[in-house]
Amino acid sequence: MTNPYEYAVSVPELIERYRATYSGAVYDVLDAMGYPHQALASDIKPVDNRWVIAGPAFTLKGIPEPTGDERLRARRIHMFEAMKDVGVPIIDVRDCSFDMQAAHYGEMNATVGASCGVIGALVDGGSRDTRFLLERDFPVFARYLTPVEAVKRWSYYDWQLTIALRGALTSIVVVSPGDFIMGDLDGVVVIPRDIVVEVLEKTEELIRHEDQVREEFNDGQDPVEVYRRHGRL
């Protein structure tokens, strides 16, 4: 089976270069390439406005679980083992089955995850322990904050499978292991694994072009002529 975390460019380099871009430019490239539905719902935002995430997805599916089933809770330690086995920096991406009752992420998840290669979390649900996350500067993107504990409300179910997160233009955006996540204050986009490098290169070229256009506008050149030359505002 193909390793979903192998790309034509190393993962650390991909992360560094994607972090130097921004979500709007990445989205514009995806849109132009025929992938307009890769933006997540607009209420999935960074807990701290300064935070940026970029990296390959490690996917988790969670389910409402009102009984506190210890078997499901006990399984989760094996999820962290699986994270460590990936061998590259990853983003913990959580499909919370549209649950709105509890926090699906918190400081202990960040602590254990960071020891297993996790560099950020993307949660289509809730997060808590915010003060501790801020103190350790661990980037979490979530739908809401709440103090409510997940035990007897929600539980881990399975991981490293294709999941579904709420979309901006469609009801869901599917995310598979190895798809790339890029998020900032404007929101989050999902880059399908097979086009991760191509999208990055096109985004970098777009940003270089924008910088040139911006410089011409700042120089006081006629805006109509600048637009005619470049076709972009």
Side-chain angles (χ1 to χ4, degrees):
M1 179 182 293
T2 301
N3 182 349
Y5 299 99
E6 288 184 350
Y7 312 87
V9 175
S10 73
V11 171
E13 181 180 340
L14 287 172
I15 291 171
E16 181 180 3
R17 290 168 64 184
Y18 263 109
R19 284 180 60 85
T21 70
Y22 65 97
S23 62
V26 176
Y27 177 81
D28 287 353
V29 167
L30 286 165
D31 194 17
M33 291 175 63
Y35 295 85
H37 301 133
Q38 299 306 116
L40 298 186
S42 59
D43 60 343
I44 301 176
K45 289 291 181 67
V47 174
D48 186 304
N49 289 344
R50 301 168 301 145
W51 283 344
V52 175
I53 54 171
F58 181 102
T59 60
L60 165 69
K61 174 68 174 178
I63 56 173
E65 204 294 291
T67 70
D69 188 331
E70 284 300 324
R71 294 169 300 175
L72 287 176
R73 289 181 55 77
R75 285 189 71 227
R76 62 181 173 173
I77 195 64
H78 300 295
M79 178 189 73
F80 292 109
E81 289 179 335
M83 288 175 167
K84 195 167 187 176
D85 288 344
V86 169
V88 297
I90 50 177
I91 303 295
D92 183 339
V93 182
R94 302 195 170 196
D95 171 354
C96 302
S97 298
F98 303 102
D99 180 71
M100 289 284 289
Q101 290 189 318
H104 311 102
Y105 201 84
E107 186 268 337
M108 193 58 69
N109 280 277
T111 298
V112 181
S115 73
C116 298
V118 178
I119 58 172
L122 169 59
V123 185
D124 190 0
S127 181
R128 71 177 203 168
D129 308 328
T130 306
R131 175 165 59 90
F132 301 103
L133 295 171
L134 292 169
E135 286 175 354
R136 66 179 300 152
D137 197 25
F138 186 90
V140 175
F141 284 56
R143 190 175 178 186
Y144 59 87
L145 302 177
T146 178
V148 177
E149 165 66 54
V151 176
K152 294 189 177 182
R153 299 178 181 90
W154 180 90
S155 187
Y156 302 77
Y157 177 69
D158 205 356
W159 49 86
Q160 289 300 72
L161 69 169
T162 296
I163 59 174
L165 307 184
R166 294 173 311 112
L169 299 179
T170 52
S171 58
I172 63 167
V173 176
V174 298
V175 185
S176 297
D179 289 348
F180 226 76
I181 306 300
M182 195 280 146
D184 56 21
L185 178 57
D186 288 334
V188 182
V189 287
V190 178
I191 303 101
R193 178 188 177 278
D194 290 344
I195 58 172
V196 166
V197 175
E198 181 181 4
V199 170
L200 175 60
E201 292 172 345
K202 289 180 180 291
T203 302
E204 290 173 331
E205 177 58 34
L206 173 61
I207 291 173
R208 284 192 291 269
H209 186 197
E210 286 183 334
D211 288 344
Q212 180 182 349
V213 174
R214 188 178 295 109
E215 184 176 340
E216 292 180 13
F217 281 130
N218 287 336
D219 285 344
Q221 297 186 35
D222 181 76
V224 174
E225 289 303 316
V226 173
Y227 180 74
R228 284 176 178 168
R229 281 197 299 273
H230 300 284
R232 188 170 182 84
L233 285 176

